[in-house]
Amino acid sequence: MAKIAFILLCHKDPEGIIRQAERLTAVGDCMSIHFDASAPKSEYDRIRKALDGNPNVTFARRRVRCGWGEWSLVQATLHAVEAAVSAFPGATHFYMLSGDCMAIKSAEYAHDFLDSADIDYIESFDFFGSDWIKTGIKEERLIYRHLFNERSNKRLFYGAMELQKRLGWRRKIPADLQVMIGSQWWCLRRRTIEWVLDFTRKRKDVMRFFRTTWIPDETFFQTIVRHVVPDAEIRSRTLTFLMFSDYGMPVTFYNDHYDLLLAQDFLFARKVSPEARELKRRLGVLYASEGTEFRISNEGQRLYRFVTDRGREGRRYAPRFWEAEASLGRERELLIVICKKWHVARRLAGIVRQELDLPVIEYLFDEGKTELPDLGGIQSTIEKRTRHRRALMRMLFDYHKTDRLLVCMDPRNFELLQDFCADRATTRLLEIQCRFCDDYLTGHAKRIGLAGEQAGPEAMARLLPTIRNDLRHESDRIADAGFAHLNRMRETAGPDENAVPLAAFLSIPEDKARAIAAMENLFSD
């Protein structure tokens, strides 16, 4: 059975560290602690005094002053790993943690998970071939020597790098290494750890190289593990759940994230707020529990993106200045059917095409596979269609040789509606308001990735009100915009009532509109 030796790097909150060590070792696992030498010695002494009597806790033999992005973080990790290997001969796995990490599964679950496959868990992507680095310097991390810290000595950091560039002091990467990159939060088997330590003793050239690379905690273990372990025995992922904001800052978890965290396909989570005492208490009880079942839906990343995007509405597809000046044509009429239930809009559009011989294009700004003619590449992706929407629409009018065109859109495309309604052309809108039962919303959440296929009733009960409110907000926003030619059909209304807005939208007699509105199964799911 798996026995985990946790490698804990920490620099603050001695009471929190003590409680974390006691929780994780209470079920038979063990821990090796490195407490940053930059922190007060009194805090370190407090931790030692509280835990020295615990046989499942050891400490790095040497404390290092750690700096973000520096080799010191790797050195501190190696000191803690060496202490763990020596102190805990029965440990089968070594798991990197920080003081902000908390278990989000039971120890029983974690041990079974690690026993299920004889592999290492470490993010390990090709440094040059992947897009793991989103911002900042990339190649420069490796080919120049970094002797200063970018955060504390920005001027010296970039000055030294610029000097090396001017003098041509590029260094070579060790020829037999493929540099890899990934999260520093890994879980490695004992055999792998022993191979890595043996490698560090034999390959002094590699150690010299990494000592002056920038942010080596994202490359050192990721590279060495890939060098000493067969690819088939590496799962390129972390077992620690963490998310980052658009600004590259870690997302912090609080008391109300308990159910969300348990549903993720990870063993630990980072970062848990120091103030989230109730969350820490509940997770601590959970780790020691037995027989607990977990329903993994794994929708954390998608939910976070969904929620944060609500605060940035109106920014995603800002119109380009040249498009704002380009009109579809004063004599043209653009008809837009707006409906969240795409199948309802498609049924209506289909009968309109048949009865009025009107060109119809379904959800061209929402669905990549929408059938469109070849317009020189502008139609090839949703991003291009959205960015050049007026140019695209003019070309579609020209292609179909018509002055009337009907398209279907999702109500979330509010900015597109604003843009088309501001055009010199006549733009008429028909919003189809549908009822949304819980079963439909559940399916909708799973189709768009907000909920996993295994999401349970409890998770959906928390999620459905948010989705329902979001759909209501989309409709209210359209109503409040003051669009000149906005008409509404409602699922709750009969054909006679719906014929009035449909006739105004299509500019047809009401009796003809009534025949269309009376279409059988128009609103059926």
Side-chain angles (χ1 to χ4, degrees), residues 257-275:
H257 287 120
Y258 178 81
D259 294 302
L260 170 73
L261 292 176
L262 265 58
Q264 307 314 306
D265 187 21
F266 296 86
L267 304 184
F268 281 76
R270 182 179 188 274
K271 299 177 128 183
V272 174
S273 169
E275 286 75 39

Side-chain angles (χ1 to χ4, degrees), residues 79-287:
H79 286 331
V81 166
E82 289 167 349
V85 168
S86 175
F88 310 122
T92 61
H93 293 78
F94 294 75
Y95 196 122
M96 268 286 294
L97 288 178
S98 77
D100 296 323
C101 295
M102 286 290 296
I104 57 174
K105 298 290 186 295
S106 64
E108 180 182 63
Y109 181 97
H111 295 153
D112 289 344
F113 181 93
L114 295 177
D115 281 334
S116 66
D118 188 21
I119 54 179
D120 296 306
Y121 296 91
I122 180 170
E123 276 193 352
S124 183
F125 304 103
D126 183 81
F127 184 92
F128 296 100
S130 71
D131 63 347
W132 200 86
I133 297 176
K134 303 297 184 183
T135 59
I137 61 175
K138 185 172 182 178
E139 181 187 34
E140 293 86 349
R141 288 191 186 190
L142 306 179
I143 64 173
Y144 299 118
R145 294 173 175 84
H146 298 281
L147 306 176
F148 305 99
N149 190 292
E150 191 266 350
R151 290 195 169 183
S152 58
N153 294 292
K154 194 177 292 288
R155 184 176 177 183
L156 289 174
F157 179 88
Y158 288 105
M161 188 168 64
E162 187 61 31
L163 178 63
Q164 293 177 75
K165 286 182 181 180
R166 291 180 182 177
L167 297 176
W169 287 356
R170 292 169 59 104
R171 63 174 178 171
K172 293 183 179 180
I173 298 170
D176 61 333
L177 286 187
Q178 178 186 8
V179 179
M180 311 297 285
I181 191 167
S183 168
Q184 71 181 105
W185 312 110
W186 40 254
C187 179
L188 303 176
R189 296 166 297 173
R190 184 180 194 91
R191 181 182 65 180
T192 301
I193 284 291
E194 291 172 345
W195 284 347
V196 169
L197 292 178
D198 186 57
F199 184 94
T200 64
R201 290 187 285 267
K202 292 179 179 178
R203 294 295 302 270
K204 301 302 181 184
D205 60 322
V206 174
M207 300 297 283
R208 284 193 299 272
F209 171 78
F210 277 107
R211 279 193 181 96
T212 51
T213 59
W214 181 234
I215 320 182
D217 53 306
E218 293 179 351
T219 53
F220 179 78
F221 287 97
Q222 295 77 2
T223 300
I224 307 308
V225 169
R226 186 69 70 170
H227 187 79
V228 300
V229 176
D231 287 354
E233 296 181 21
I234 298 174
R235 189 71 53 81
S236 188
R237 60 160 294 189
T238 175
L239 297 180
T240 298
F241 178 59
L242 65 165
M243 297 190 296
F244 290 90
S245 70
D246 289 348
Y247 303 100
M249 300 299 292
V251 174
T252 301
F253 300 110
Y254 295 93
N255 290 334
D256 56 350
H257 287 120
Y258 178 81
D259 294 302
L260 170 73
L261 292 176
L262 265 58
Q264 307 314 306
D265 187 21
F266 296 86
L267 304 184
F268 281 76
R270 182 179 188 274
K271 299 177 128 183
V272 174
S273 169
E275 286 75 39
R277 295 181 179 87
E278 178 61 14
L279 175 61
K280 289 186 175 184
R281 184 195 66 79
R282 296 179 71 185
L283 291 176
V285 172
L286 175 74
Y287 191 69

